Amino acid sequence: MQRRLVTILAADAVGYSRLVGKDEDAALKLFKECATIIDERVRAHNGRIFGGAGDSVVAEFPSPVEAMRCAIEIQNQIAHLDEKLSEDWRMLFRVGLNLGDAVVEQDNLLGEAVNVAARLEGLSEPGGICVSGSLYEQVKHLPDVGFQDLGTKRLKNIPLPVHAYSVKSIHSKRSRKRLPMWGLAAATTALLAVIALPIWWKHVPGMSENQATGTQIVASSQPSIAVLPLDNISGDPSQEYYSDGVTNDITSDLSKFSGLLVAAYNSSSTFKNKPAKIQDIGKALGVRYVLEGTVQKTAERLRINAQLIDAETGYHVWADRYDQPLGDTFAVQEGITKNIVTTLAVKVTDAEERRTRLKPPANMDAYDYYLKGKQIWADPTKVTAEGNEEARQLFEKAIELDPNYSAPYAELSYVYVRAYQSGLDDGGKANLDKAEALAEKALALSDNANSHWYLAIVAWNKGNFDKSFSEYEAARQINPNDPDLAADMAEALIYGGEPLRAIEQIEEAKKRNVRVPFWYFWNEGKARYMAGQYQQAIDAINKIASPPNDVRLITAASKAQLGDIAGAKAIMAEFSKIDPDWSIEKSAEYYYRNDSDRQHWLDGLRKAGLKEK
């Protein structure tokens, strides 16, 4: 009898039978989406699925650390998948992890090691993870993973008691201030390491109306388009970042034309690797035209096949094939953009033409490092000191290879903003000075939307609201079609004393983005609190399926202002369990244009029971 030491992951869908009873076809599709997430994450962490029945999955890993990281990513990605579903249609999973000795029988594993993992899964909260003491000893050192000691448990049909721990705060660590999601950071595709919303979302019963019907951005006087993620056909999955980067750049270029309505990239990307009729995609995204195609990158050449399709009729309007040296990537992108604009007969002003002619990097390796750095932003599991450092090195390498390339300076600027906002290092406010210098350098090299955008973020974090608003408006003049830009500016407006204007911008952004990111509701909740709309603030936060801990502050403060002190204190207690160091004193450190706004916020937090220091 062969035996080996293995790490076992057991996962089980909660309430699967209930969902099957409501709508069997929809439930099966939803489970398949979740199973795909689990399978992809298991393989990404060198694991192997070897068992499972109906609504469960059992996998083995050679490493406890990889199994732990896999489990966290599974729960995070399924939580993102659930964001568009109503409460009674979310499919949560319990996960159990165990390190132990298993019996090997061909491709199967048997014995107590497997059984303990399955029993621990049953102890887990829906959406949570429970681990054995043996596994805990191997992973307790991991950063940003907390554990709650559940004590010794007697598990069914397990002869000896098992020490168990639950994993606390497993959802992706997010900055205390919303992390901007423009460019690649907005992508919610494989680049984001988050599963895309399935095509069949329209047919799942129980959805709220605004989610189930989609958003219509088509205007009769303006052509509208969605750029689907270009398929990577290079044969190398590690090149996925490149095809996503090219897709995003084309989307950004098209967004600069005021006569053309462009679907947000994080909306279009929900269809990545999801076969569907072009007509259905057009209806779901609210556009008349769809661009699709492929990218093949070799060491020397770039090949792009692109075709523009009328989403109402399904007919091809235009198609072209580009096969050029790798250094001509930007010429290819410009050619695709111009062909689309010409084909759709969009009026192109001289200013808009100049905007599309941004200076490309002289060194294509610099562009490659830049895209790899953007990929770090796109990974919510890397909002850590280590992730920030990795991104910094990639952007600095891009700058080293091409000192006159604007884009990596802008992204490096936000490396330091993120470090300041999230306390990822000891730099404190000195990080903002570095960020400002880099953003100004980016702008000096290229007058583009992102350079203004990053400079705007630095400005309001330093309390310079007039400059921030001016830079945001400059960015919006260059890129009028980006809903993320409008929603991000709302955060500056909140701290700048204009919550009602912030609400207006968020509402407008929601209309332009079929798949509304969670942080829109985060900004909306804070804006409505500052405007005295306390119940609406609570309602906005409740729309976040898997809310980060920080949003509890908004809910608690709003309940306190409505007079529900007991409810507010209960929520604040949950917040403080996860973030025991946060206080009134720290909350007071944020810049507000009006001190009365600061005191309004602190008043709600005090009433809710947040400690002073």
Side-chain angles (χ1 to χ4, degrees):
M1 182 182 298
Q2 183 185 355
R3 310 181 71 95
R4 70 166 177 258
L5 187 67
V6 295
T7 302
I8 302 295
L9 179 150
D12 179 75
V14 180
Y16 177 73
S17 297
R18 176 183 60 82
L19 295 180
V20 169
K22 291 181 65 174
D23 188 317
E24 184 176 22
D25 289 341
L28 289 172
K29 288 177 181 178
L30 181 54
F31 179 78
K32 287 179 180 178
E33 286 293 319
C34 294
T36 298
I37 292 172
I38 295 171
D39 179 65
E40 289 175 349
R41 290 299 86 208
V42 167
R43 286 187 286 106
H45 289 274
N46 300 314
R48 177 183 72 91
I49 293 175
F50 66 89
D55 57 354
S56 64
V57 175
V58 185
E60 67 159 324
F61 296 82
S63 162
V65 171
E66 290 300 318
M68 185 77 258
R69 288 173 174 163
C70 177
I72 291 173
E73 290 176 15
I74 286 171
Q75 294 293 37
N76 282 332
Q77 292 190 17
I78 289 177
H80 280 287
L81 179 66
D82 281 343
E83 283 181 358
K84 284 295 182 179
L85 304 179
S86 62
E87 191 72 34
D88 61 342
W89 260 99
R90 292 170 187 165
M91 185 171 286
L92 300 176
F93 277 70
R94 295 186 177 96
V95 174
L97 292 172
N98 180 44
L99 173 65
D101 193 59
V103 176
V104 181
E105 190 175 273
Q106 294 182 340
D107 291 333
N108 199 14
L109 295 175
L110 306 170
E112 191 169 295
V114 180
N115 296 338
V116 168
R119 298 304 181 200
L120 289 170
E121 169 259 299
L123 287 180
S124 171
E125 294 290 329
I129 302 168
C130 189
V131 306
S132 66
S134 60
L135 186 128
Y136 166 78
E137 291 300 325
Q138 303 300 316
V139 300
K140 62 184 180 182
H141 65 283
L142 291 177
D144 305 318
V145 182
F147 295 89
Q148 180 180 352
D149 191 337
L150 300 179
T152 301
K153 299 290 183 181
R154 288 198 171 274
L155 306 177
K156 185 178 179 181
N157 295 329
I158 305 298
L160 296 177
V162 176
H163 206 115
Y165 297 81
S166 66
V167 180
K168 298 190 300 182
S169 187
I170 67 169
H171 297 300
S172 307
K173 182 179 178 182
R174 292 159 176 155
S175 170
R176 188 167 302 279
K177 295 184 181 179
R178 204 270 318 150
L179 300 181
M181 293 196 175
W182 57 88
L184 291 183
T188 51
T189 60
L191 183 60
L192 235 181
V194 179
I195 196 70
L197 183 69
I199 285 170
W200 47 266
W201 63 270
K202 294 184 295 180
H203 309 295
V204 176
M207 278 191 170
S208 59
E209 181 178 352
N210 68 315
Q211 293 166 333
T213 58
T215 301
Q216 186 72 8
I217 69 170
V218 174
S220 58
S221 60
Q222 289 180 292
S224 54
I225 186 172
V227 182
L228 298 184
L230 300 177
D231 291 334
N232 168 34
I233 60 170
S234 66
D236 181 0
S238 69
Q239 293 297 322
E240 199 78 14
Y241 75 93
Y242 196 89
S243 57
D244 284 329
V246 172
T247 305
N248 180 71
D249 285 347
I250 294 171
T251 304
S252 296
D253 286 346
L254 289 172
S255 296
K256 296 167 187 173
F257 292 94
S258 58
L260 184 63
L261 292 173
V262 183
Y265 181 45
N266 60 335
S267 294
S268 299
S269 64
T270 61
F271 290 94
K272 185 179 177 70
N273 298 325
K274 306 290 179 182
K277 292 182 178 178
I278 291 295
Q279 291 93 329
D280 292 338
I281 294 175
K283 289 177 182 177
L285 297 177
V287 296
R288 174 65 185 271
Y289 300 96
V290 171
L291 179 75
E292 65 175 10
T294 61
V295 174
Q296 185 177 19
K297 174 176 174 265
T298 67
E300 295 82 22
R301 303 193 68 80
L302 176 70
R303 297 181 178 89
I304 295 181
N305 289 314
Q307 50 190 358
L308 186 67
I309 304 172
D310 186 323
E312 288 189 2
T313 64
Y315 294 143
H316 287 63
V317 178
W318 159 84
D320 208 343
R321 185 172 186 269
Y322 302 83
D323 186 349
Q324 296 181 238
L326 190 59
D328 290 339
T329 299
F330 289 87
V332 170
Q333 294 171 4
E334 183 178 12
I336 293 173
T337 301
K338 287 186 175 296
N339 273 324
I340 292 171
V341 171
T342 302
T343 301
L344 300 184
V346 178
K347 181 181 179 181
V348 182
T349 65
D350 290 340
E352 287 170 335
E353 280 193 343
R354 286 196 298 273
R355 289 172 191 157
T356 65
R357 295 173 184 168
L358 300 179
K359 183 180 178 182
N363 186 314
M364 287 309 296
D365 286 338
Y367 181 58
D368 205 61
Y369 277 106
Y370 162 73
L371 291 184
K372 288 176 179 176
K374 296 276 279 186
Q375 188 180 34
I376 303 300
W377 289 146
D379 187 346
T381 68
K382 292 191 175 181
V383 186
T384 62
E386 295 78 13
N388 222 41
E389 176 62 17
E390 187 178 356
R392 182 187 68 79
Q393 292 179 10
L394 289 165
F395 293 134
E396 287 184 348
K397 183 65 176 177
I399 291 170
E400 177 187 335
L401 292 171
D402 188 352
N404 295 317
Y405 181 26
S406 169
Y409 285 99
E411 298 298 335
L412 184 57
S413 168
Y414 194 70
V415 166
Y416 289 103
V417 173
R418 174 182 279 185
Y420 164 73
Q421 290 183 335
S422 299
L424 299 179
D425 60 30
D426 298 327
K429 292 185 178 179
N431 282 325
L432 291 180
D433 294 332
K434 295 177 181 178
E436 185 172 39
L438 288 161
E440 288 176 344
K441 176 69 173 179
L443 189 58
L445 290 169
S446 180
D447 184 11
N448 62 67
N450 275 9
S451 297
H452 286 287
W453 192 342
Y454 282 94
L455 200 54
I457 292 171
V458 174
W460 77 259
N461 274 279
K462 297 186 78 170
N464 191 341
F465 293 102
D466 289 337
K467 181 178 180 180
S468 178
F469 296 160
S470 174
E471 295 295 341
Y472 271 119
E473 291 301 343
R476 296 180 73 191
Q477 284 291 319
I478 295 172
N479 196 340
N481 276 305
D482 195 329
D484 286 355
L485 176 54
D488 182 70
M489 182 179 177
E491 188 171 17
L493 291 169
I494 292 166
Y495 290 89
E498 300 187 48
L500 293 178
R501 185 179 166 197
I503 293 169
E504 290 178 2
Q505 290 202 182
I506 293 169
E507 290 296 338
E508 183 61 30
K510 285 158 65 176
K511 294 176 183 177
R512 298 291 298 274
N513 199 337
V514 175
R515 189 171 189 247
V516 180
F518 79 92
W519 58 267
Y520 281 34
F521 298 116
W522 188 343
N523 281 354
E524 181 184 353
K526 183 67 180 286
R528 292 194 182 278
Y529 174 90
M530 299 308 296
Q533 301 174 8
Y534 304 123
Q535 186 56 54
Q536 293 95 319
I538 295 170
D539 294 342
I541 298 303
N542 285 341
K543 292 177 182 177
I544 304 176
S546 299
N549 190 43
D550 289 12
V551 303
R552 285 191 170 103
L553 292 175
I554 299 172
T555 305
S558 298
K559 282 184 174 291
Q561 298 291 17
L562 289 171
D564 183 6
I565 302 300
K569 288 188 174 181
I571 293 171
M572 188 62 75
E574 290 298 315
F575 167 83
S576 296
K577 283 181 184 177
I578 297 173
D579 199 344
D581 295 330
W582 197 251
S583 63
I584 295 291
E585 183 178 63
K586 289 186 177 180
S587 295
E589 291 177 358
Y590 287 96
Y591 284 105
Y592 288 83
R593 184 192 289 271
N594 304 318
D595 188 61
S596 58
D597 288 335
R598 184 198 318 277
Q599 297 308 320
H600 176 201
W601 176 236
L602 298 181
D603 178 59
L605 297 179
R606 282 195 179 97
K607 288 178 180 177
L610 182 62
K611 67 180 184 180
E612 288 292 329
K613 294 184 179 181

